[in-house]
Amino acid sequence: MAAPKRKKSKAKTAMRKAHWLKKVNIPGLSLCPECGQPKAPHRVCPHCGYYKDKEVIEVV
Ligand SMILES: [Zn+2]
C-alpha cells in the first residue's frame, strides 16, 4: 500500500480538527431560551426539561 511521503504537520492536523469541530457543532446550534445550554432544535432541552416555555419533563 502507498505510504505518505511526509509526516503531517501540526498545523495540518489542527486544520483538520478545527473543521471537524465546526461540522459537529452545526446540528446542535440551537440554544435553550430557559437555561442557555446548547440543545438539538425541535427537541426538549435535556438540561432543564423545557420546551416552548413549559416544563415537559423532569430533570434530576
Ligand atoms: Zn434548558
Side-chain angles (χ1 to χ4, degrees):
M1 214 178 24
K5 204 165 197 175
R6 295 201 169 274
K7 182 181 168 181
K8 208 151 254 176
S9 69
K10 281 177 199 166
K12 281 284 171 194
T13 306
M15 267 186 238
R16 187 182 64 242
K17 289 190 174 173
H19 178 252
W20 179 81
L21 261 178
K22 210 175 159 188
K23 191 177 70 185
V24 294
N25 278 343
I26 287 168
L29 209 67
S30 176
L31 291 177
C32 174
E34 271 314 304
C35 63
Q37 292 288 322
K39 65 167 197 70
H42 307 122
R43 295 291 185 278
V44 174
C45 175
H47 302 278
C48 61
Y50 270 69
Y51 186 70
K52 281 202 174 180
D53 308 328
K54 300 188 282 197
E55 194 176 359
V56 276
I57 51 163
E58 253 183 63
V59 180
V60 279

